[in-house]
């Protein structure tokens, strides 16, 4: 296609970055509402599609201009902006975050003043400890570097040849090609033991390469970057893909995935991610005991002795104890009743299954980490009743009521040192360990199987409707880089003005989004587009 510009891919890359603005406004302010589900739904395709397109354009630069020009371009347009702009954006972000925090209970002027004073009272906040929302720039540079090495040193590698043929199937035989694409990605995530590409953090660190989860996230997104790179070899076929075909593929694959998901939940298995477990069970209607008489809810009584620890209010009005069950997905937990003599009790009805829990001293509305009212995980682990990554207590509920305790706070025994029998010991867990391991891997596989299908549907959408020159889309594409860089401080700052307003949250979201968008576009048009900063980011100035 010679030097022809790929208008559809330019538009897709720009609009996907703009979607990130509204995603951040939602998750930081309205994540617990229905808007949160809409926002998180974009995680099924947004960054995956972005990295795929980035891989395509990196290959384009390499094959049109050469290896060294490609690396030079990536260095100037990706790494330098990250290094140069991270610090000023960080300072603005810290201000916006502090203002956002204070505005829940304070006036505007007081919040503005205290947000500025934090730079004097806590000068260490001026240090950019992480890359924030600019983490993708670090990833893109290293992806480009590795692509150069693969292309320059291992161009005849057997793996590259096989992967190239697999990518070709996506266009020549879409059903088979997408099956391979989806299967490969979900298998990769299962091997990495990641429920989603960006799960568990680590990716925004400057030294993500030394952090396990950061490195796993890099590998997950590199998969799409590599696919996009290989798609460049089939650019003629890529620009002719059918949106209807990929919609049919997504719909068909979705039916089979939902059947498998439903089967796992119906058989009594729980998704290890609490929010997905609750959401999926509600969606499938499997929280209704009438569906399976053998899974009738049973009473579980939790008892804890606080004689060795003062009971605290946390963020609540009165001192109280709570029991937090991981699978219920509520960090605040369930309030316990004071029986006197430092004994606290709570009885809850639960479906049969395996549950993790801890007692929590005081009311907290986030998971946080120790202390934050949690029991001491290390002591529970040493005592033999702490399991998993967070050393949670654990029990298995079958078809009868059970009582757990009276446990001493942060102990596996009572406060006299007497052992309390577990409902599910470590020895018993080992027998079922392989089953749990395989089921968790299967849940990861199913949760990620459709991601490539969503990605290709989104890509085909832009190719179908944005394949012609458009001044508006061209402007959006040119401005998206700067707007994404500058938007995060505003995404905290602007919505904070409406924290104490009584208007509907959806109206708050719309107003905040419009104001943030206007500020971002105005800043681009008058201060960036035709300035040295515009040339620094985009390689040239625009009139």
């Amino acid at each position: 296609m010679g030097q022809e510009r790929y208008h559809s891919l330019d538009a897709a890359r720009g609009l996907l970055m703009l979607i990130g603005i509204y995603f951040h406004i939602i998750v930081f302010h309205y994540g617990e509402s229905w808007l949160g589900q809409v926002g998180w739904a974009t995680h099924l395709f947004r960054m995956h599609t972005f990295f795929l397109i980035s891989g395509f354009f990196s290959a384009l630069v390499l094959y049109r201009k050469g290896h060294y020009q490609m690396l030079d371009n990536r260095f100037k347009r990706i790494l330098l902006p990250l290094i140069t702009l991270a610090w000023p954006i960080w300072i603005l972000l810290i201000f916006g975050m502090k203002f956002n925090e204070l505005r829940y209970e304070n006036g505007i002027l007081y919040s503005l003043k205290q947000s500025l004073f934090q730079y004097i009272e806590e000068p260490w906040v001026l240090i950019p400890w992480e890359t924030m929302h600019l983490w993708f720039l670090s990833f893109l540079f290293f992806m480009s570097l590795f692509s150069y090495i693969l292309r320059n040193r291992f161009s005849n590698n057997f793996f590259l040849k096989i992967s190239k043929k697999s990518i070709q199937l996506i266009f020549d035989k879409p059903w088979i090609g997408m099956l391979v694409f989806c299967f490969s990605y979900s298998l990769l995530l299962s091997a990495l033991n990641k429920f989603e590409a960006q799960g568990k953090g680590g990716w925004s660190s400057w030294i993500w390469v030394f952090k396990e989860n950061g490195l796993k996230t890099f590998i997950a997104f590199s998969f799409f970057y590599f696919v996009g790179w290989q798609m460049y070899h089939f650019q003629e076929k890529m620009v002719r893909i059918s949106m209807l075909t990929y919609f049919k593929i997504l719909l068909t694959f979705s039916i089979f995935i939902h059947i498998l998901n439903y089967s796992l939940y119906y058989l009594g298995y729980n998704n290890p991610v609490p929010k997905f477990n609750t959401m999926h069970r509600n969606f499938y209607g499997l929280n209704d005991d009438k569906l399976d008489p053998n899974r009738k809810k049973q009473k579980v009584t939790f008892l804890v002795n606080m004689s060795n620890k003062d009971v605290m209010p946390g963020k609540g009005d009165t001192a109280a104890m709570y029991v937090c069950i991981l699978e219920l997905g509520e960090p605040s937990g369930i309030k316990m009743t004071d029986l006197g003599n430092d004994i606290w009790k709570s009885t809850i009805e639960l479906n049969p299954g395996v549950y993790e829990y801890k007692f929590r001293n005081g009311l907290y509305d986030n998971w946080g980490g120790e202390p934050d009212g949690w029991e001491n995980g290390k002591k529970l682990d040493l005592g033999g009743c702490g399991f998993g990554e967070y050393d949670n207590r654990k029990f298995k509920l079958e078809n009868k009521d059970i009582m757990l305790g009276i446990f001493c706070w942060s102990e596996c025994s009572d406060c006299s040192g007497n052992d309390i029998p577990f409902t599910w010991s470590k020895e018993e867990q080992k027998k079922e360990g392989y089953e749990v391991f395989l089921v968790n891997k299967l849940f990861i596989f199913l949760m990620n199987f459709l991601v490539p299908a969503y990605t290709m549907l989104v890509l085909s959408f832009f190719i179908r409707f944005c394949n012609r020159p458009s001044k508006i889309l061209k402007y959006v594409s040119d401005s998206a880089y700067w707007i994404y860089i500058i938007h995060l401080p505003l995404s905290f700052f602007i919505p904070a003005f409406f924290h104490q307003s009584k208007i509907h949250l959806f109206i708050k979201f719309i107003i905040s989004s419009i104001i943030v968008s206007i500020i971002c576009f105005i800043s681009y048009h008058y201060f960036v587009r035709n300035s040295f900063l515009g040339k620094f980011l985009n390689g040239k100035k625009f009139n």
Side-chain angles (χ1 to χ4, degrees):
M1 298 195 55
Q3 300 295 312
E4 182 179 346
R5 187 181 181 103
Y6 293 91
H7 303 287
S8 57
L9 300 185
D10 269 340
R13 183 171 55 178
L15 289 172
L16 287 170
M17 294 182 77
L18 293 186
I19 289 174
I21 300 175
Y22 313 116
F23 166 77
H24 286 138
I25 292 176
I26 288 174
V27 297
F28 291 135
H29 303 285
Y30 315 111
E32 299 302 319
S33 69
W34 62 270
L35 278 173
Q37 295 187 21
V38 175
W40 283 108
T42 65
H43 253 28
L44 294 172
F45 63 84
R46 188 172 62 87
M47 292 310 299
H48 309 80
T49 311
F50 176 83
F51 278 108
L52 187 148
I53 295 172
S54 297
F56 179 93
F57 279 121
S58 293
L60 181 148
V61 174
L62 184 144
Y63 286 104
R64 285 185 178 179
K65 298 183 178 181
H67 296 89
Y68 297 109
Q69 287 79 359
M70 186 271 286
L71 287 179
D72 181 67
N73 177 274
R74 300 296 91 177
F75 177 78
K76 291 179 179 178
R77 304 292 165 252
I78 294 176
L79 189 60
L80 279 183
L82 171 62
I83 296 172
T84 306
L85 297 176
W87 186 62
I89 295 299
W90 172 270
I91 292 177
L92 293 174
L93 178 61
I94 293 301
F95 176 84
M97 292 174 66
K98 188 67 175 181
F99 180 74
N100 174 71
E101 176 187 341
L102 293 170
R103 273 292 293 139
Y104 283 105
E105 297 180 355
N106 300 282
I108 293 175
L109 292 179
Y110 175 82
S111 300
L112 288 171
K113 181 181 70 174
Q114 291 303 116
S115 299
L116 289 172
F117 282 171
Q118 71 172 325
Y119 298 132
I120 300 173
E121 298 170 351
E122 303 172 346
W124 54 86
V125 302
L126 294 171
I127 302 173
W129 298 106
E130 57 182 43
T131 59
M132 308 160 287
H133 59 303
L134 305 181
W135 60 271
F136 74 100
L137 295 177
S138 176
F139 275 27
L140 280 177
F141 178 75
F142 278 94
M143 288 175 187
S144 300
L145 190 61
F146 287 133
S147 297
Y148 164 77
I149 295 172
L150 285 173
R151 174 66 179 82
N152 203 37
R153 305 296 180 187
F154 305 100
S155 58
N156 293 318
N157 183 274
F158 176 76
F159 169 74
L160 292 179
K161 291 180 179 179
I162 292 297
S163 63
K164 193 173 181 179
K165 290 182 179 180
S166 299
I167 300 304
Q168 185 175 0
L169 284 175
I170 296 175
F171 305 115
D172 293 346
K173 298 180 179 179
W175 288 89
I176 298 176
M178 286 306 301
L179 183 61
V180 173
F181 191 4
C182 293
F183 185 88
S184 300
Y185 178 68
S186 52
L187 191 64
L188 173 65
L189 270 288
S190 295
L192 294 174
N193 200 38
K194 283 187 72 69
F195 289 91
E196 58 174 325
Q198 283 182 258
K200 295 186 177 180
W203 30 268
S204 62
S205 170
W206 287 101
I207 53 173
W208 56 264
V209 70
F210 298 109
K211 294 182 177 292
E212 180 182 354
N213 286 313
L215 192 57
K216 288 180 178 181
T217 297
F218 176 78
I219 293 172
F221 283 129
S222 293
F223 177 89
F224 284 90
Y225 182 91
F226 180 75
V227 168
W229 182 286
Q230 293 289 56
M231 282 184 174
Y232 177 78
H233 299 292
F234 309 102
Q235 52 191 288
E236 297 285 352
K237 297 178 179 180
M238 184 176 177
V239 296
R240 294 197 303 268
I241 59 177
S242 167
M243 181 179 172
L244 181 60
T245 298
Y246 291 99
F247 176 76
K248 291 178 181 178
I249 291 173
L250 174 61
L251 185 61
T252 303
F253 285 4
S254 296
I255 292 172
F256 283 103
I257 292 301
H258 279 296
I259 290 173
L260 292 173
N261 251 331
Y262 180 90
S263 300
L264 285 174
Y265 287 116
Y266 186 82
L267 291 173
Y269 295 110
N270 285 316
N271 191 312
V273 182
K275 66 177 181 180
F276 289 129
N277 188 66
T278 302
M279 182 173 65
H280 291 168
R281 284 193 170 278
N282 288 335
F283 177 77
Y284 295 132
L286 291 178
N287 283 325
D288 189 348
D289 301 334
K290 295 179 181 179
L291 289 174
D292 185 358
N294 295 322
R295 286 183 50 77
K296 184 178 180 181
K297 286 185 177 181
Q298 306 295 333
K299 292 182 179 180
V300 182
T301 300
F302 301 87
L303 292 158
V304 61
N305 187 332
M306 296 299 293
S307 59
N308 64 350
K309 183 77 173 181
D310 292 335
V311 179
M312 308 296 291
K315 295 183 178 180
D317 296 327
T318 58
M321 289 297 299
Y322 297 79
V323 58
C324 300
I325 301 172
L326 180 64
E327 286 70 21
L328 298 186
E330 292 293 337
S332 56
I334 297 169
K335 190 173 183 179
M336 305 181 75
T337 302
D338 185 1
L339 301 181
N341 296 320
D342 299 315
I343 306 298
W344 292 76
K345 171 186 176 182
S346 181
T347 299
I348 307 167
E349 289 190 344
L350 297 170
N351 284 314
V354 177
Y355 296 89
E356 296 184 33
Y357 75 102
K358 267 183 183 173
F359 296 110
R360 200 165 195 182
N361 190 352
L363 177 65
Y364 296 88
D365 58 2
N366 57 68
W367 291 106
E370 295 182 9
D372 276 359
W374 293 113
E375 293 184 276
N376 189 312
K378 291 183 179 179
K379 293 181 69 175
L380 296 179
D381 181 47
L382 292 173
C385 63
F387 302 94
E389 180 180 357
Y390 302 105
D391 297 313
N392 292 328
R393 299 179 186 268
K394 203 168 187 177
F395 68 93
K396 184 176 184 179
L397 179 61
E398 298 179 316
N399 294 312
K400 62 179 180 179
D401 298 342
I402 61 172
M403 183 173 70
L404 303 172
I406 305 172
F407 288 109
C408 199
W409 170 259
S410 291
E411 301 288 349
C412 299
S413 61
D414 64 20
C415 288
S416 298
N418 299 313
D419 291 335
I420 297 176
F422 307 143
T423 64
W424 200 27
S425 67
K426 287 190 174 182
E427 290 73 19
E428 291 174 311
Q429 288 190 49
K430 288 180 180 179
K431 297 178 182 178
E432 298 191 24
Y434 289 111
E435 180 183 349
V436 173
F437 174 82
L438 291 174
V439 168
N440 286 350
K441 292 292 186 182
L442 185 54
F443 269 118
I444 294 175
F445 185 90
L446 296 176
M447 288 170 64
N448 289 281
F449 189 86
L450 296 176
V451 171
Y454 280 108
T455 298
M456 288 305 297
L457 180 62
V458 171
L459 193 64
S460 65
F461 171 85
F462 282 102
I463 290 174
R464 170 67 178 82
F465 294 105
C466 305
N467 61 347
R468 295 181 179 179
S470 166
K471 291 183 179 180
I472 294 177
L473 290 178
K474 175 67 167 56
Y475 185 91
V476 169
S477 177
D478 294 338
S479 65
Y481 195 5
W482 164 255
I483 289 175
Y484 191 80
I485 288 174
I486 197 65
H487 86 277
L488 196 60
L490 292 169
S491 296
F492 278 99
F493 183 70
I494 297 301
F497 283 93
F498 304 101
H499 282 345
Q500 299 179 36
S501 172
K502 301 298 183 181
I503 60 178
H504 193 275
L505 64 89
F506 182 68
I507 304 299
K508 291 182 182 181
F509 166 69
I510 294 297
I511 295 174
S512 298
S513 298
I514 291 174
I515 295 174
V516 170
S517 299
I518 290 174
I519 294 174
C520 287
F521 275 105
I522 288 177
S523 69
Y524 170 75
H525 189 83
Y526 290 103
F527 303 107
V528 177
R529 184 171 175 82
N530 193 29
S531 71
F532 74 94
L533 191 54
K535 185 175 182 179
F536 178 60
L537 294 175
N538 298 318
K540 59 181 178 180
K541 297 179 182 180
F542 297 100
N543 296 321

